[in-house]
Amino acid sequence: MNAFLTLLWIGVAVLALVAYWRIFDKAGQPGWASLIPIYNLVKLLQITDRSGWWILGFFVPFLNVFVFIRLIFDLSKAFGRGVGFGFGLLLLSPIFLPVLAFGSSRYAGRAGALPA
């Protein structure tokens, strides 16, 4: 049973890595940047048009939860998706990340995002 769960976890992790690579490519960023810790957060902030200062929020306890949630919803909006899709990314990311990466979503940036 442990071997099965380990293989399942590895499969989900690889799927997430491939999905983030594709999301970065769709947004005009280098896909390999999704593999580098901290740098991938910087690039994700650029994709969502957030200030680089937000990176400091990831290092502050409790504030990092807010920053992460806000970043997920901004990512959803940057690809023209709504709040419901943002909740999907937040709560069911193994399903919604591949949908965002390999689906018909196009990167629009915050300027092309849906109205709030």
Side-chain angles (χ1 to χ4, degrees):
M1 187 64 164
N2 282 339
F4 173 73
L5 291 177
T6 300
L7 287 175
L8 182 65
W9 183 84
I10 289 171
V12 169
V14 168
L15 181 64
L17 288 173
V18 171
Y20 270 115
W21 186 298
R22 181 72 179 119
I23 289 169
F24 275 49
D25 277 343
K26 276 186 166 183
Q29 300 294 333
W32 58 263
S34 66
L35 303 176
I36 313 288
I38 309 298
Y39 186 62
N40 62 0
L41 294 175
V42 170
K43 288 297 182 181
L44 205 54
L45 288 170
Q46 288 177 354
I47 289 170
T48 58
D49 289 335
R50 287 286 174 191
S51 168
W53 287 102
W54 277 58
I55 198 77
L56 296 176
F58 282 104
F59 299 106
V60 178
F62 301 111
L63 178 62
N64 58 2
V65 174
F66 167 76
V67 171
F68 174 74
I69 292 171
R70 187 67 215 172
L71 192 61
I72 290 295
F73 281 96
D74 286 347
L75 183 64
S76 174
K77 286 184 181 178
F79 280 89
R81 298 298 187 117
V83 175
F85 197 86
F87 276 110
L89 279 174
L90 183 63
L91 302 174
L92 297 169
S93 61
I95 296 169
F96 281 80
L97 274 176
V99 169
L100 188 64
F102 302 109
S104 62
S105 299
R106 301 235 186 266
Y107 178 70
R110 287 197 50 177
L114 298 173

